[in-house]
Amino acid sequence: MSDAFYLPTGDPDRFVATPHTQGPWGADLQHAGPPSALLARAVEQVATSVDGPAQVTRLTVEILGAVPVAEVTVRAALARPGRSVELVEAELSAAGRPVLRARVWRIRRTPVGLPAEAVAAPVPPPPRPAASSEFTEPRWQTGYLRAIEWRFVEGHFERPGPASVWARQRVPLVAGEEPSPLQRTALLADSGNGLSRLLEMADWWFINTELTVHLHRQPAGDWIFVRAATTLDEQGSGLAETVLFDAAGRVGRGAQALMVGRRND
């Protein structure tokens, strides 16, 4: 197995997914984290129309279908240029079929002289545990879950309920590249649903139809702290919410709309 989620093919738009991308719903299906990060990478490569540097403030990934562990194609383009704010759109396809679409807002980054009382003092997250968390069940030690180092502060994948965890990827997103902080954040933001599951996966499916991440500042560093909680409704829907931190403090939040049902229905 290659030590990356994706291998380049020589075509800048095409990549081969490795087993590291495998998700919990099937050995031949990707976790949505890696392809979401690949979309973020494509967005970062689109030249900005904004005057000066720009930062991503919202990333929404629409999940149109299951993503196979296979070759994928990713393209991105500027949809709405502007001097202060712009919209970038990206699409990931497999076997000629779109499976993910992303819409990303970028806003110019420049000092605006805010009054001190308008700027919240950063609140650092809990200290990172000294050692990686241990797992007893093999299902939590394959594919994507194994390719991430998890250090739980509260909760655990193996126990239903809310969870708080420090995490970082063990392998690059694309072989031979150092992932950006935005890519690292997108890779982990989609794990909120699994981190805070309330149901047993053997009996239920709870699949997110999208991922939306809002960032009020740009993350930094290798480690991301994720605090996740899920709310379910008896009519078969739900919401997984995450708060995202880097070592200095909060950077934003994520949300996933969930479709919930019994596996035997």
Side-chain angles (χ1 to χ4, degrees):
M1 186 189 302
S2 172
D3 285 335
F5 290 101
Y6 297 100
L7 305 179
T9 64
D11 181 332
D13 295 333
R14 292 191 298 118
F15 304 87
V16 175
T18 74
H20 287 307
T21 64
Q22 176 190 328
W25 302 109
D28 58 343
L29 300 178
Q30 293 190 44
H31 188 284
S36 295
L38 200 61
L39 285 168
R41 175 186 179 274
V43 167
E44 289 181 312
Q45 294 185 343
V46 175
T48 181
S49 62
V50 170
D51 290 344
Q55 65 180 36
V56 169
T57 56
R58 194 209 70 183
L59 164 71
T60 296
V61 178
E62 309 288 0
I63 302 175
L64 308 179
V67 185
V69 180
E71 185 175 286
V72 296
T73 301
V74 185
R75 294 188 176 91
L78 195 60
R80 187 273 195 192
R83 296 179 58 186
S84 298
V85 61
E86 62 187 5
L87 178 66
V88 184
E89 296 180 338
E91 181 177 275
L92 185 144
S93 59
R97 178 176 63 91
V99 287
L100 296 181
R101 287 199 179 108
R103 292 169 63 84
V104 176
W105 282 102
R106 295 194 295 202
I107 296 177
R108 57 93 180 93
R109 184 172 177 82
T110 186
V112 294
L114 289 177
E117 61 270 19
V119 182
V123 178
R128 187 168 65 244
S132 300
S133 296
E134 296 184 355
F135 294 81
T136 59
E137 301 178 44
R139 61 176 171 155
W140 305 112
Q141 302 176 65
T142 61
Y144 168 86
L145 295 174
R146 186 177 181 180
I148 305 294
E149 180 179 0
W150 307 98
R151 298 190 184 184
F152 282 90
V153 175
E154 297 176 320
H156 197 284
F157 274 120
E158 296 181 341
R159 299 192 300 272
S164 298
V165 63
W166 282 97
R168 67 173 174 180
Q169 59 196 89
R170 299 181 188 272
V171 300
L173 180 66
V174 175
E177 294 184 8
E178 179 70 18
S180 71
L182 177 65
Q183 293 167 31
R184 294 180 185 276
T185 304
L187 181 77
L188 289 165
D190 189 75
S191 63
N193 177 26
L195 283 167
S196 60
R197 67 182 178 89
L198 298 174
L199 302 169
E200 290 298 334
M201 295 181 63
D203 303 318
W204 298 85
W205 44 264
F206 38 96
I207 301 170
N208 59 300
T209 58
E210 55 82 45
L211 166 68
T212 299
V213 177
H214 285 97
L215 298 172
H216 63 268
R217 71 171 175 88
Q218 297 307 283
D222 296 349
W223 288 93
I224 301 293
F225 179 72
V226 181
R227 180 177 292 139
T230 290
T231 305
L232 301 180
D233 182 80
E234 61 182 9
Q235 298 301 312
S237 61
L239 175 66
E241 299 175 274
T242 59
V243 186
L244 304 166
F245 297 75
D246 61 12
R250 177 172 163 163
V251 297
R253 67 185 305 121
Q256 300 161 284
L258 306 181
M259 179 175 56
V260 183
R262 289 187 179 275
R263 279 186 173 268
N264 56 3
D265 288 350

